[in-house]
Amino acid sequence: MAEPRFSLIVATRGRDADLGALLDSLRAQGRDDLEVIVVDQNADDRLVPILARFADRLPVTHLRSDRAHANRARNLGLAEAQGAIVAFPDDDCLLPPGVLDCVDAAFAADPTLAVLTGPAASPAGGLGSGRWRTEGGPITLANLWTSVIEFNLFLRRDVARALGGFDERMGPGTDWGSAEGNDLVARAIRAGHRARYDPALRIVHPDKRLTPVAVERARVYGAGLGVALRRHAPGIGVWLPFFVRPLGGMMLAALRRDRLGVAYYLATLRGRLAGFRTREARP
């Protein structure tokens, strides 16, 4: 096969059927110019039968990583990638038909475009969890906070490598459990690269807001955002709302006697404050 157009790098741990569904959605893109790099963080061989199903259907490279660390796994895959455009879909998301065609057209139409993003889509329809811009256009340090999610992030491979990939102090498996995509896109912008957000470019991902799992993760996820805000937010008008909103969420949840909501917003606020104040977050 000639050099692929796309490298889809999937860091995975603890899932098998979901990964199979993702691979089915990649196969359904109908393209013969992509490769899939699965970076397996499991201690067992649960993925072997899943990947065997695709042996004659997709070019899949199976890498192993002995640490439960999403960004380390993504960077391992990035080092092996052959495609001109790289992406990092989660192991439990789905790519709707035609997504890669749209991404290919966007990069082909604009040789100066280095980064393309879109929002999360809910399996039930509409947008997924998070705040998302309604208008498309250039991504800046002021608006990237509502423009970026890791599983819907496409970059030119050479740009991603030149930036050093994801910050391995951030992301799942660390104390700064989120916003590594925001950090990477911010570094691309600071390096002079063009980034664009397209609200129509959607990737389906389970909606986990205000669930017990979300509450459990809220503090470390909040810390990651706090770190990224401290590093890259251009002023108080950008970062302050991310501390005010959890306060409002807590008050509304308390009025509704929603203990889960109160716990979620409190953990989120504490995490954001901790991340923002940590010395290592300073630019």
Side-chain angles (χ1 to χ4, degrees):
M1 183 180 76
E3 182 176 287
R5 177 66 167 162
F6 288 97
S7 292
L8 288 303
I9 300 161
V10 186
T12 183
R13 178 173 178 259
R15 296 191 176 104
D16 40 37
D18 288 331
L19 178 65
L22 168 62
L23 296 178
D24 279 329
S25 78
L26 295 179
R27 177 64 178 167
Q29 297 295 307
R31 300 184 67 104
D32 59 4
D33 59 351
L34 62 84
E35 66 171 358
V36 183
I37 302 173
V38 174
V39 188
D40 182 354
Q41 302 166 87
N42 295 295
D44 55 29
D45 291 325
R46 72 181 64 198
L47 297 188
V48 172
I50 300 293
L51 299 181
R53 285 174 35 208
F54 293 89
D56 298 323
R57 301 167 60 198
L58 275 175
V60 178
T61 299
H62 184 191
L63 302 181
R64 296 274 193 168
S65 175
D66 59 0
R67 291 175 57 196
H69 191 303
N71 283 344
R72 180 174 186 268
R74 290 166 176 157
N75 288 343
L76 286 173
L78 177 60
E80 297 292 325
Q82 300 298 309
I85 300 169
V86 296
F88 305 88
D90 282 1
D91 57 3
D92 59 349
C93 69
L94 298 171
L95 271 68
V99 162
L100 294 186
D101 288 343
C102 293
V103 173
D104 189 11
F107 279 100
D110 185 355
T112 69
L113 182 66
V115 180
L116 181 65
T117 74
S122 171
L127 293 178
S129 56
R131 290 179 175 271
W132 301 106
R133 291 167 60 194
T134 56
E135 77 287 354
I139 302 175
T140 69
L141 294 179
N143 66 27
L144 71 85
W145 314 101
T146 52
S147 305
V148 177
I149 192 71
E150 290 76 24
F151 57 77
N152 195 354
L153 170 59
F154 296 84
L155 305 95
R156 294 195 189 271
R157 180 194 62 198
D158 294 345
V159 170
R161 285 181 176 171
L163 294 169
F166 290 96
D167 184 343
E168 294 186 14
R169 296 171 294 175
M170 303 180 75
T174 75
D175 292 335
W176 302 340
S178 74
E180 65 271 30
N182 301 87
D183 175 75
L184 180 59
V185 175
R187 286 188 280 123
I189 293 169
R190 288 182 180 278
H193 298 293
R194 290 187 60 249
R196 184 161 62 85
Y197 169 79
D198 180 358
L201 179 66
R202 301 185 181 188
I203 290 180
V204 179
H205 188 270
D207 193 344
K208 301 174 183 177
R209 55 184 146 190
L210 290 185
T211 63
V213 171
V215 173
E216 182 181 344
R217 298 173 176 174
R219 192 179 192 284
V220 293
Y221 279 22
L225 181 59
V227 167
L229 286 166
R230 179 63 180 269
R231 287 177 177 173
H232 303 297
I236 189 173
V238 172
W239 59 257
L240 184 60
F242 289 93
F243 297 93
V244 173
R245 287 176 190 138
L247 286 171
M250 263 195 302
M251 289 188 289
L252 289 175
L255 290 172
R256 295 193 298 263
R257 298 183 180 180
D258 177 4
R259 293 184 178 181
L260 190 68
V262 171
Y264 172 79
Y265 289 114
L266 178 59
T268 295
L269 178 61
R270 285 176 171 172
R272 289 179 183 177
L273 287 170
F276 194 80
R277 294 170 62 188
T278 189
R279 182 182 299 275
E280 293 86 346
R282 296 175 184 174

